[in-house]
Every structure is written in structure tokens, then in C-alpha cells.
Amino acid sequence: METNNSSHLSGDVSSSKVNSVLSGETKNVNGKLIEIEKLFRTYLLGEVEVHALRGVSIEVSKGEFVAIMGASGSGKSTFMNILGCLDKPTKGNYKLDNIDVGNLSRDELALIRNKKIGFVFQGFNLLSRTTAMENVELPLFYSTVSNKERKEKSIEALKKVGLEERIYHYPNQLSGGQQQRVAIARALVNDPSIVLADEPTGNLDSRTSVEVMEIFQKLNEQGITIILVTHEPDIAAFAKRHVVFKDGRIKSDKINSNTKNASEVIKTIPSIDEEDEE
Amino acid sequence: MKILNIILAAFRALRRNKMRSFLTMLGIIIGVAAVITMLAIGQGAEYSVKQQIASLGTNVLIIFPGSQQQSGIRVGAGSMTTLTEDDAQAISTDCPAVAYVSPGTFAGGQVIAGNLNWATQIQGVGVDYIQIRDWIVQYGSFFSDQDIKGATKVCVLGKTVADNLFPDSDPVGQNIRIRNVPFKVIGVLTRKGQNAMGQDQDDVILAPYTTVQNRLSHFPYIRQILVSATSSKSIETAQKQITELLRMRHKIARFEGDDFTIRNQSDLANAATATSQILTILLASIASVSLLVGGIGIMNIMLVSVTERTREIGIRMSVGARGRDILTQFLIEALVLSLLGGIIGILFGVAGSKLISSFAEWPTFITAFSILLSFGFSILVGLFFGFYPARKAALLNPIDALRYE
């Protein structure tokens, strides 16, 4: 199915790359998952040009845990949208897993999102009145997976986030932390190359936030690349690399030598109202 | 297959909003039910109109003598004296497509009963006349072969005549005077009402044709022969058989024209049927307006649904749904609503028609055509009115859709 999706746009150089990558012929020699070069993004707000990104260059290797930080308006959200193939850059190169994503069509971008990217949002973004299981299944609806495989993969993903007991619960029967874990399971279900988390702890209390970060750290230990947007230094402290945005440019990009272990931190926070989560 | 997944997603979405799905369907349900019921009523009307026309005698043929021709001047139908009682007798015995035969003549005149009088037409007819006209004697009896042979002075009154001459008393057994000839009333006919031309069919007195010939008109010939075919379908056969028989009996050479005319009332029947068909079409088109309104209802709800589910669409897009996947899902949702609404509407329409026919005693007919028509129309409505909202959903920008509050 995926070969069909992209090959109908034959003649486009990039679609052959979509093909080869998705059919498992990745020739990713240098181990770089993300290669971004001089990325620009300009909006037109009425007559005014807004320069959200002014020449961002960054490389991310497989297995990294990157925190992207910056004040609001620094361009980090725009950057995440482009990273997540929801938006296209005005100028510049973006290679994801060796695919030149910058020139793909809407449908091809949808395919990349389906196969390569898992999203975790601040507001969880689960479908209401839909069980945890069905929410997690959602990405598999848009790929060619048998019914049996879809169920197995969904249960497996829910196990990874420790929610196998609640697969038939509805979002309104779950606590904020549990909802976010369902969202993480949904992000994982298609075995993506990267998990993009946009302020995943923004709607959670501090203990639950650390719990979510614990999950991210465990997933990262299993080799999953995670890119996290946050403006909270406490949360960024769990990541291995800090990238700070300011005015559409990268202000600093350094390894976090003092990475905190969420499993350790969680022991120092008293679990006063853990039962209220139920 | 991916399309099956999308169908499943559509069903899940409809199930999540049971109430809204039902309300959306309601428009289609009412529309389809209305179309089916209206068509059933219309076709029932057509049927009863046909029945009524049949009761007026669509299988009746009237044979007139031909027009007289003297030195190229034609006098008019019925002026010749070529029809005889023997002709009537021969038609009754030799034409298998003919059921009843009655010779006929007539006379006008003032009728007096006691101190009341009334001007009317006196029909001289045979005993089979009331069978041909599908008429019933309400009180008393009709005259017999004996009365015809003996030219007895008996008569049967039409309802109008009876009401005017005997407003307070029972006419049966009383004597009346027609042109000063005394007749005995032996029966009164049921009311038949107006004919297609608006004439009062009950303003008549029936008497044996022999009596009318001898006592009233003094015209010793037969002015017409009334014939009923065995069924309304055998009219043409009967007409052919009668023509052949009379030509033979009247010794008409092959190249000569008929010396008689045969008329039937099928034109009248056709006109009436056409009228009731127009009625059916009219009813159906009124009902289809409600189906259209139901379709607009679907579009309305789907549009609201797209706005309300903008976030959901954003989520679906972020996990890899293409625009056309979203389009397909919304189109399937609209289609399922209209299909399901169509099926439920058909059930309600059939039930409604049955109710109407049992309570209003109005015949209703449900045809496969009306079911297919309304079903097909509801699918079209779903596709047509579902497309715009579905396209709107498909064209959403995933970033904006995800941020939508």
C-alpha cells in the first residue's frame, strides 16, 4: 500500500526515497536521524511577514533524548511542527531518516507521520468517548496492518506504558497522567523513528510529570529517539541534550552533563493523592 | 484493507454520537416514509378511480343505427331504422365476448303522481339493462321478460324522480301517469350520482322498451342497443364481433360502410386514469421535498460535526490520515446515516400506508418501484449533501485542526 501511495507521484526524486526508506532499504550510513540545514519559516500575517525560523541547523542521531527549550515566540513550536511533518519549511533542507522531507506532498507527509513519527501533545489529544485501546489503534487504521496485528500491537504499546489493565477505559475514566500514557502508547504503536513530545507535562502536576518523564527515559533507554519541547527547566533536566531557541534561531546546543534520573527523583516526591487518580 | 479500517472508523464515530446520528437520520426517515406513503396513497387513489370508472361501465358499448343518407345529405347518427330486436338477440347469442345485451329506446315527458309532476326522460330498456349499468334496485323489483313480451305498463324510478314525485311516501305499488298513460311503479333504483358529463343519472324512469315503443314514443324501431363486454379488456373483441355480426346480418358488401356506429367509453377511462396518475406524481413530489430537507439536515449536522470534530480530524491527520482518508470517512458517515435512515423510513412508510388503509379505508399500494426510488434517492442525498462537509474536513490544515479549541 505504501509503495502505491508514493509511486503514483513518480518523477519526484524524493518519492523514490520515501519508497526505499519505507521498504526498509535505508542507507543511513552516518547514523544521523535528523539533518536540518539553514531552515527558514516565514508566515504572512495579513501584510506583515513573520519570520518564525531564521536559519536553524541541527543534527540529531539515533537514540538521543533532546529537550528543546525557549520562551514563547522563540520559534520552538514552529520548529516542532516542521520536525513532525505537519508543516513545511519556507527554505532550507530537512532530511528525516535520509528522506528529503521538505519537498513532499501532503499525502506523502501523512505517510511519513504515520510511519516515522509519534506525537505526544500537551493536551493529550485523545478521542473522547473512545477506549484507550481504540485510541492507541488509531495510527494503525491508516496503515496496512491486519486486525489481529493491530490489536496485538496496541496491547503491547499499552503494556509499555503500564496501562494493560485499563485498555477498555474511556479517557474521562483516566487520570491526566494515565491519559498522557495512552497518548504515549499511541505514539509508540507504529514503531516510529522519533517521538515528538510538545509540552507533554504542561497539563500535569509535578509528580505525574516526573512519572511521564520516567516513561520517556525508559523508552529512550530502549533506543527510541525522543525530542521534547518544554519551557520548564525541571523537565528538561531529564533529557540528555538541551537546545535553546531564541528569536527563531538556536541560541545554545549542549549536552546535559547532569541528567537526572526520573526513577530516583520520583522517590523524593511524596505520593499524597495517588489514589485520586483513579 | 485500509478502506475497511476507514469504514470501521466511520461506524465508531457514529456510535460515539448515537443521539446526533439518530436525529440526523430522522430527517431522512421522515422523508423516505413520506415518499413511500404518498406514493402508496396516490396509487390507491388511482386504483379506486379505476374502480369507479369500471362501475360507471367502461365495458359498456352502445350501438346506434347509422346516419341516413339521402342524395348526399347525411342526417345524423341514430336517424336510420336499421337496428332491430333480432339484432339484439343475435348479439346476445353469437358474440362470446358480450355478457349482456339490452335494446333501448326513449321518450321524454311530463310525469304526474298525485298532485306532483316532474319532467324527465323515460328509458325503454330490456331486463339486462341494470346488469349492464351495474345498477341495483333499492326497493321493489325490476321488470321481467314477461313484462317485455306483454308490454306491461310498469316502471322503475330513478332516485331523483322518486324523491320528487314521492317525497314522503313509498313509491312502490303506486301509480303514476306518463303522458297520460298510467304506469305502475314496481321499483326504485339506488342513487348513482352524476355521470362524467355532469348529468344526473338518477333523473330517469326505466320501463320495458316494448311498452315505451307502443305507448309513449310510437316509434317502432330500436334507437340503440346497449351491450356490456365480459370484461373491460374484452371491449375491443366484443366490438369486432358485433361489427362482423351486424355487417353480415345487414348484408353489407365489403366496400360499403357500416350502417351502425359502436361507441365505447374507454377514452373517459383513460382520461380519469391519467388524472389520478398526475395526482400520484404531485403527492410524490411534495413528499420528495421533505426528503430534500432531510438531506439538507444531513449536510447541516455533518458541517457542525466537522467543526466540532476539528480536533479529532487534526489528531487523525497527525497520526497519518491523508486528506482523502478523512474525506472517505465523512462521506461514509453521511452515507451510512442516509442508508440506515432510508431503510428505517421504508419500514415506517410501509407501516404508515397500512395504517392509513385500515383507518381511513383508503386502498394503498406499495410497489417495488416506490421503495427502490426512495431508497436510491436517499443514497444520492447522502452522497450529495455529505460531500461538501467531507471535503471541508479533508482540506483542514493539521496544525490549525490540532490547535482548535
Side-chain angles (χ1 to χ4, degrees):
Chain A
M1 193 74 185
E2 52 264 38
T3 14
N4 286 345
N5 280 338
S6 38
S7 62
H8 75 274
L9 292 148
S10 54
D12 191 330
V13 186
S14 56
S15 55
S16 63
K17 282 186 182 171
V18 177
N19 263 340
S20 65
V21 169
L22 293 177
S23 53
E25 295 166 23
T26 320
K27 296 180 190 85
N28 204 349
V29 275
N30 55 11
K32 295 281 184 244
L33 191 61
I34 291 170
E35 293 165 83
I36 285 173
E37 221 180 331
K38 296 197 181 78
L39 206 65
F40 286 83
R41 181 69 174 96
T42 310
Y43 296 109
L44 263 180
L45 274 181
E47 299 287 300
V48 192
E49 279 196 345
V50 180
H51 300 279
L53 294 178
R54 308 156 185 255
V56 173
S57 299
I58 190 173
E59 288 187 346
V60 178
S61 303
K62 274 184 179 161
E64 283 201 70
F65 189 166
V66 186
I68 293 175
M69 302 160 75
S72 48
S74 61
K76 61 182 197 299
S77 288
T78 307
F79 182 65
M80 276 299 264
N81 286 338
I82 292 174
L83 219 49
C85 295
L86 291 166
D87 195 7
K88 286 197 216 179
T90 315
K91 213 166 77 185
N93 291 322
Y94 171 21
K95 278 189 179 179
L96 172 62
D97 224 355
N98 228 21
I99 307 167
D100 192 351
V101 181
N103 300 318
L104 297 186
S105 70
R106 252 173 88 104
D107 282 1
E108 287 170 322
L109 286 177
L111 188 65
I112 297 285
R113 291 199 295 273
N114 187 244
K115 300 287 172 195
K116 300 260 162 212
I117 299 165
F119 286 99
V120 179
F121 303 97
Q122 178 177 3
F124 319 138
N125 272 343
L126 299 178
L127 298 187
S128 57
R129 281 169 284 176
T130 306
T131 60
M133 176 83 170
E134 285 180 18
N135 264 296
V136 174
E137 281 179 344
L138 204 59
L140 300 175
F141 267 113
Y142 301 102
S143 59
T144 48
V145 178
S146 71
N147 280 0
K148 190 168 161 264
E149 203 183 340
R150 188 175 70 223
K151 292 223 157 59
E152 285 169 3
K153 279 193 159 191
S154 307
I155 291 171
E156 194 191 320
L158 280 163
K159 270 184 187 157
K160 274 186 196 164
V161 297
L163 279 178
E164 64 268 34
E165 303 289 313
R166 291 185 165 76
I167 55 175
Y168 296 118
H169 282 57
Y170 291 96
N172 59 1
Q173 297 168 319
L174 297 171
S175 70
Q178 287 168 335
Q179 286 186 51
Q180 194 58 295
R181 271 144 72 188
V182 173
I184 294 170
R186 181 178 65 195
L188 293 175
V189 75
N190 242 355
D191 303 320
S193 304
I194 49 170
V195 170
L196 295 180
D198 192 356
E199 304 268 9
T201 59
N203 287 11
L204 302 173
D205 62 52
S206 51
R207 188 190 157 86
T208 322
S209 299
V210 180
E211 279 172 5
V212 166
M213 292 315 294
E214 189 188 8
I215 291 172
F216 279 129
Q217 278 191 334
K218 279 185 181 162
L219 293 172
N220 183 239
E221 278 162 27
Q222 291 163 26
I224 296 169
T225 312
I226 294 165
I227 298 178
L228 169 86
V229 167
T230 184
H231 63 269
E232 290 173 72
D234 289 352
I235 295 300
F238 297 107
K240 291 182 198 162
R241 180 178 166 190
H242 288 176
V243 177
V244 181
F245 271 70
K246 196 179 182 190
D247 299 329
R249 290 191 184 89
I250 292 176
K251 188 179 142 203
S252 74
D253 181 355
K254 59 192 175 205
I255 302 297
N256 179 17
S257 51
N258 190 22
T259 310
K260 280 200 230 168
N261 185 328
S263 308
E264 299 290 319
V265 174
I266 213 158
K267 288 171 190 158
T268 67
I269 305 172
S271 57
I272 27 168
D273 41 19
E274 198 178 17
E275 290 308 306
D276 289 357
E277 284 184 2
E278 301 302 314
Chain B
M1 268 306 288
K2 217 157 140 185
I3 184 76
L4 289 178
N5 291 340
I6 292 168
I7 292 172
L8 182 61
F11 269 97
R12 281 180 178 174
L14 290 176
R15 204 185 53 199
R16 273 205 296 280
N17 288 298
K18 285 193 195 76
M19 191 61 182
R20 187 168 61 194
S21 303
F22 171 72
L23 287 176
T24 315
M25 274 193 297
L26 203 58
I28 293 288
I29 292 173
I30 292 172
V32 168
V35 168
I36 297 233
T37 315
M38 289 304 157
L39 278 174
I41 289 175
Q43 264 150 358
E46 210 173 303
Y47 171 78
S48 36
V49 164
K50 274 184 183 160
Q51 284 273 294
Q52 274 170 1
I53 289 169
S55 81
L56 290 177
T58 37
N59 52 347
V60 172
L61 294 170
I62 305 169
I63 306 155
F64 297 98
S67 60
Q68 214 162 26
Q69 200 165 3
Q70 277 174 335
S71 323
I73 297 165
R74 297 166 76 189
V75 181
S79 55
M80 270 171 96
T81 54
T82 50
L83 286 181
T84 61
E85 285 177 61
D86 292 341
D87 285 337
Q89 190 58 45
I91 289 169
S92 128
T93 48
D94 295 344
C95 297
V98 168
Y100 296 105
V101 179
S102 162
T105 183
F106 47 84
Q110 205 70 16
V111 184
I112 301 163
N115 57 352
L116 293 171
N117 67 83
W118 187 252
T120 188
Q121 196 187 41
I122 298 94
Q123 294 272 359
V125 295
V127 273
D128 286 342
Y129 182 80
I130 54 169
Q131 262 82 39
I132 295 168
R133 295 294 314 273
D134 197 14
W135 221 335
I136 293 162
V137 179
Q138 194 175 13
Y139 308 111
S141 58
F142 203 66
F143 39 82
S144 63
D145 279 329
Q146 225 59 43
D147 294 319
I148 305 271
K149 274 184 193 135
T152 328
K153 289 181 276 181
V154 292
C155 67
V156 174
L157 302 185
K159 195 75 180 160
T160 307
V161 177
D163 287 348
N164 282 291
L165 291 180
F166 301 97
D168 304 315
S169 55
D170 180 10
V172 180
Q174 308 248 31
N175 284 312
I176 58 171
R177 273 144 51 98
I178 307 171
R179 293 217 214 144
N180 278 328
V181 180
F183 277 76
K184 191 180 179 191
V185 178
I186 58 167
V188 177
L189 295 161
T190 52
R191 188 176 294 286
K192 207 160 174 80
Q194 293 178 348
N195 70 6
M197 310 304 161
Q199 285 168 329
D200 183 3
Q201 299 180 91
D202 301 307
D203 192 2
V204 76
I205 293 174
L206 302 181
Y209 69 95
T210 45
T211 319
V212 174
Q213 280 174 340
N214 295 346
R215 305 284 177 167
L216 297 176
S217 67
H218 305 294
F219 182 76
Y221 304 98
I222 290 189
R223 289 189 194 263
Q224 60 186 35
I225 299 173
L226 241 71
V227 165
S228 73
T230 46
S231 76
S232 54
K233 280 176 191 141
S234 56
I235 291 176
E236 296 209 353
T237 326
Q239 197 160 346
K240 233 179 253 166
Q241 288 169 354
I242 294 165
T243 309
E244 272 172 34
L245 180 76
L246 289 183
R247 283 181 73 92
M248 201 180 70
R249 286 180 59 84
H250 296 180
K251 299 186 173 60
I252 297 168
R254 184 164 296 182
F255 50 87
E256 278 178 325
D258 295 344
D259 63 349
F260 56 90
T261 318
I262 302 177
R263 282 192 203 152
N264 66 44
Q265 292 180 322
S266 58
D267 288 349
L268 176 70
N270 290 343
T273 311
T275 311
S276 55
Q277 267 162 359
I278 288 168
L279 179 79
T280 307
I281 292 167
L282 185 76
L283 284 172
S285 22
I286 293 168
S288 44
V289 169
S290 66
L291 196 53
L292 199 71
V293 172
I296 293 170
I298 282 195
M299 179 156 79
N300 222 331
I301 302 281
M302 292 304 290
L303 277 175
V304 171
S305 178
V306 168
T307 313
E308 202 186 275
R309 287 159 64 189
T310 300
R311 244 177 124 81
E312 177 194 326
I313 295 161
I315 295 167
R316 288 182 186 279
M317 284 178 162
S318 76
V319 301
R322 295 166 300 169
R324 72 182 100 136
D325 296 330
I326 301 291
L327 181 95
T328 313
Q329 180 180 340
F330 273 81
L331 216 50
I332 288 173
E333 285 182 28
L335 204 58
V336 166
L337 287 177
S338 60
L339 260 171
L340 222 61
I343 291 169
I344 298 172
I346 287 170
L347 295 179
F348 272 101
V350 170
S353 314
K354 296 274 178 245
L355 271 179
I356 287 170
S357 49
S358 65
F359 280 107
E361 286 169 12
W362 180 287
T364 56
F365 290 98
I366 294 154
T367 58
F369 170 75
S370 69
I371 288 178
L372 284 178
L373 179 83
S374 45
F375 196 64
F377 201 41
S378 66
I379 290 174
L380 276 182
V381 159
L383 278 180
F384 184 78
F385 290 110
F387 186 77
Y388 174 65
R391 209 178 94 90
K392 206 182 155 193
L395 291 179
L396 281 174
N397 177 355
I399 301 171
D400 299 336
L402 277 170
R403 284 216 194 98
Y404 187 85
E405 293 295 332

